[in-house]
Amino acid sequence: MSKRIGEQGTVILRVLVKSDGSAGAVEVKISSNYPRLDQSAIDAVKNWRFIPATSDGKTIDEWYQVPIPFKLQN
């Protein structure tokens, strides 16, 4: 639907990467101004796997900003 009506933009998400590499909390930090794109980005990132941060050789939970661009191409 978003593609059909020409919605595009970048969503900046705030993601808590847990010590096991999974995404914990996922929040919109800066919206694309299109709720459909924002929700699509959240849904995608919740299923991603990350390399967690480490401190003193142990993996830890850490917050990151993740930009998700939505660009229409021919």
Side-chain angles (χ1 to χ4, degrees):
M1 177 66 148
S2 291
K3 184 177 180 180
R4 192 173 356 176
I5 60 177
E7 295 176 344
Q8 61 182 350
T10 299
V11 182
I12 307 292
L13 298 177
R14 189 168 175 257
V15 180
L16 177 62
V17 176
K18 299 179 72 169
S19 62
D20 66 359
S22 65
V26 179
E27 307 167 351
V28 174
K29 179 171 174 96
I30 301 174
S31 174
S32 67
N33 295 317
Y34 298 104
R36 201 175 1 257
L37 296 182
D38 294 351
Q39 190 60 52
S40 180
I42 291 168
D43 293 344
V45 169
K46 283 183 179 179
N47 296 311
W48 289 4
R49 299 293 296 175
F50 297 87
I51 297 172
T54 58
S55 178
D56 295 326
K58 296 181 182 180
T59 58
I60 59 170
D61 295 355
E62 187 69 46
W63 286 96
Y64 291 93
Q65 288 186 34
V66 179
I68 308 292
F70 291 93
K71 294 182 183 179
L72 296 174
Q73 298 180 2
N74 294 337

